[in-house]
Amino acid sequence: MSYKVFQLEPYVGQEELANLTKSINDGWLTEGPFSKKFIEGVKDMTGAKHALLAANGTLALYLMYLAIGIEPGDEVICPSFTFNATASPLAIIGAKPVFVDIKEDDLQIDPEMIEAVITPKTKAIVPVHIYGQSCDMDPIMEIAKKHNLLVIEDAAQGFGVFYKEKHTGTIGHCGMISFFADKTITCGEGAVVLTNDDELFEKLKLVRNQGRPNSGTFIHPSLGMNFRMTDLQCGVGVAQLAKFPEIKERKTKNFELYHAWLKDVPQVKFVGLSKDSNFIPFRVNIRVERLEELLQFMEDNQLQTRRLFYPLHKQPCYSYLGYQENDFPVANKAYDEGLSLPVHLGLKREDIELICDTIISFYG
Ligand SMILES: Cc1ncc(COP(=O)(O)O)c(C=O)c1O
């Protein structure tokens, strides 16, 4: 199917190309000068004490879970309404993902649901900052402190998102941000792990690089893997970091256009703004009546849309956990009603107008 408007379009150009060319010309492909520059840029932006690169967000989560000591049999609490990568590395380790519901207004994890599922086996909480806003972290950190639990933030979608002046991913014990092609800034694939904890930083360094403190040695004090990135990707990342203010401004403008044109349509409701968080539109998420029919109508009009997350408690791969269909009604409802509209920088004002007009014409 060819679309008049695509859901995603990476915003890359000559600046990224110049850095890629430099990497090739300089003959430096593995982590090197651009990697250092990218890490420093991410640290400046987030205020994190330490930052390490990882090959992608999924592996960054796996790396954090391994380094922080999640073990087989441990229980780890996360929202049902998230991308599978939050939970799958836990399951692969042999730990048990324990799901909780989300809040109706902003779709973030509901801190009020957490204490009820804590057991003696609970080791950690994984709040997931979704769709360009932050979870309500204060109550989560309080619960973690009270029950002596670790907090590992999935801030895959949280680049540039702050909760009460603190960047997402820097509030718990560690956190990660993804740079996949649909993220706020991208390296194609890639991620960064953030922590303010010196001891954890040392463990993360070992696990990400074959159990040794530096490359170039064949002595491995501990077990580890290869979670590294390349300088080619980081060159792209450096160019993207410089574009972030523009990306933020233009995505916000796109969101405002959608809001102005759709806010009075009775069958359309915008996902609410999170408390104590800024908003970097990652998608434009709306909740609508007759979603299935609208999806088909948009497709027929060559406008590419996306549904929101299919809750993890209903995923075939977690059937062994024994959850019921109707568990987590708020997550279920978000899936049943939720629609993502494109917000990328390739959109023209007319594209957004066309999408809004099409939705309005659907509802007559
Ligand atoms: C909430 C969340 N967690 C984790 C990931 C995994 O990141 P990556 O695609 O970089 O592996 C994603 C990616 O979309 C995500 O949205």
Side-chain angles (χ1 to χ4, degrees), residues 61 64-66 68-80 82 85-91 93-100 109 114 117-128 149-154 312 318 320-321 323 328:
L61 284 159
M64 293 193 293
Y65 296 154
L66 290 174
I68 214 164
I70 304 295
E71 290 175 352
D74 287 342
E75 293 181 5
V76 178
I77 298 167
C78 67
S80 173
T82 177
T86 310
S88 60
L90 293 170
I93 288 172
K96 180 179 173 192
V98 174
F99 302 130
V100 290
I109 188 170
I114 294 176
V117 298
I118 293 175
T119 75
K121 291 185 181 167
T122 308
K123 182 88 155 263
I125 306 169
V126 186
V128 185
L149 303 175
L150 299 161
V151 175
I152 302 156
E153 292 172 76
D154 180 342
L312 297 191
Y318 299 118
Y320 70 96
L321 293 172
Y323 286 103
F328 314 121

Side-chain angles (χ1 to χ4, degrees), residues 230-243:
T230 65
D231 232 39
L232 294 161
Q233 293 166 306
C234 291
V236 173
V238 166
Q240 288 272 297
L241 270 177
K243 290 181 177 175

Side-chain angles (χ1 to χ4, degrees), residues 15 23 39 46 48 58 68-69 76 89 95 104 109 112 150 169 232 240 243 258 287 295 320-321 335 348 363:
E15 299 79 2
S23 286
I39 286 182
T46 60
T58 310
I68 214 164
V76 178
E104 175 83 31
I109 188 170
E112 289 187 9
L150 299 161
L232 294 161
Q240 288 272 297
K243 290 181 177 175
Y258 279 112
R287 303 177 71 155
L295 285 168
Y320 70 96
L321 293 172
Y335 176 74
K348 296 190 279 302
Y363 289 114

Side-chain angles (χ1 to χ4, degrees), residues 294-303 305 355 358-359:
L294 176 61
L295 285 168
Q296 190 55 54
F297 190 71
M298 299 300 277
E299 195 73 11
D300 294 344
N301 282 280
Q302 295 171 276
L303 301 170
T305 52
I355 291 171
T358 308
I359 293 173

Side-chain angles (χ1 to χ4, degrees), residues 92-362:
I92 284 169
I93 288 172
K96 180 179 173 192
V98 174
F99 302 130
V100 290
D101 214 340
I102 50 168
K103 290 184 284 150
E104 175 83 31
D105 54 350
D106 65 357
L107 310 182
Q108 308 286 346
I109 188 170
D110 187 345
E112 289 187 9
M113 299 287 162
I114 294 176
E115 273 197 298
V117 298
I118 293 175
T119 75
K121 291 185 181 167
T122 308
K123 182 88 155 263
I125 306 169
V126 186
V128 185
H129 307 285
I130 52 163
Y131 298 130
Q133 304 196 87
S134 168
C135 302
D136 191 7
M137 287 302 290
D138 280 354
I140 296 171
M141 295 309 292
E142 269 166 39
I143 294 166
K145 197 167 169 202
K146 180 170 156 199
H147 295 273
N148 200 20
L149 303 175
L150 299 161
V151 175
I152 302 156
E153 292 172 76
D154 180 342
Q157 305 179 357
F159 187 81
V161 177
F162 290 80
Y163 173 79
K164 292 189 180 176
E165 323 272 298
K166 286 189 182 164
H167 197 281
T168 52
T170 68
I171 304 160
H173 296 85
C174 56
M176 76 85 179
I177 300 169
S178 163
F179 301 117
F180 180 64
D182 72 341
K183 298 299 183 283
T184 301
I185 65 162
T186 183
C187 303
E189 296 272 4
V192 71
V193 172
L194 308 172
T195 185
N196 295 320
D197 180 324
D198 297 338
E199 210 178 307
L200 179 57
F201 177 57
E202 294 306 320
K203 286 191 191 145
L204 286 160
K205 271 202 292 193
L206 288 175
V207 180
R208 83 179 276 280
N209 192 16
Q210 311 282 14
R212 58 192 173 173
N214 299 300
S215 295
T217 167
F218 294 111
I219 312 290
H220 304 261
S222 61
L223 292 175
M225 292 199 180
N226 177 356
F227 290 98
R228 299 185 305 262
M229 271 175 87
T230 65
D231 232 39
L232 294 161
Q233 293 166 306
C234 291
V236 173
V238 166
Q240 288 272 297
L241 270 177
K243 290 181 177 175
F244 173 65
E246 183 199 352
I247 292 174
K248 178 176 158 183
E249 190 192 321
R250 289 179 56 189
K251 283 195 167 184
T252 303
K253 280 206 177 121
N254 286 347
F255 174 82
E256 284 165 358
L257 283 177
Y258 279 112
H259 194 260
W261 285 331
L262 291 176
K263 72 178 187 324
D264 296 324
V265 179
Q267 296 88 347
V268 173
K269 223 168 76 190
F270 281 79
V271 169
L273 294 178
S274 299
K275 191 161 80 78
D276 298 316
S277 171
N278 63 333
F279 175 38
I280 311 273
F282 178 70
R283 302 272 192 274
V284 171
N285 286 332
I286 55 174
R287 303 177 71 155
V288 299
E289 292 178 12
R290 295 161 48 212
L291 172 66
E292 302 272 356
E293 287 169 64
L294 176 61
L295 285 168
Q296 190 55 54
F297 190 71
M298 299 300 277
E299 195 73 11
D300 294 344
N301 282 280
Q302 295 171 276
L303 301 170
Q304 193 179 31
T305 52
R306 279 240 174 115
R307 294 188 78 146
L308 306 192
F309 295 126
Y310 186 62
L312 297 191
H313 72 279
K314 297 205 284 195
Q315 296 282 359
C317 61
Y318 299 118
S319 60
Y320 70 96
L321 293 172
Y323 286 103
Q324 304 299 309
E325 277 277 305
N326 294 333
D327 290 340
F328 314 121
V330 188
N332 286 342
K333 195 157 164 255
Y335 176 74
D336 291 341
E337 299 177 349
L339 176 65
S340 284
L341 303 174
V343 70
H344 57 79
L345 271 63
L347 291 173
K348 296 190 279 302
R349 190 184 165 91
E350 305 85 83
D351 296 327
I352 298 175
E353 201 165 355
L354 176 65
I355 291 171
C356 294
D357 282 349
T358 308
I359 293 173
I360 291 166
S361 77
F362 172 76

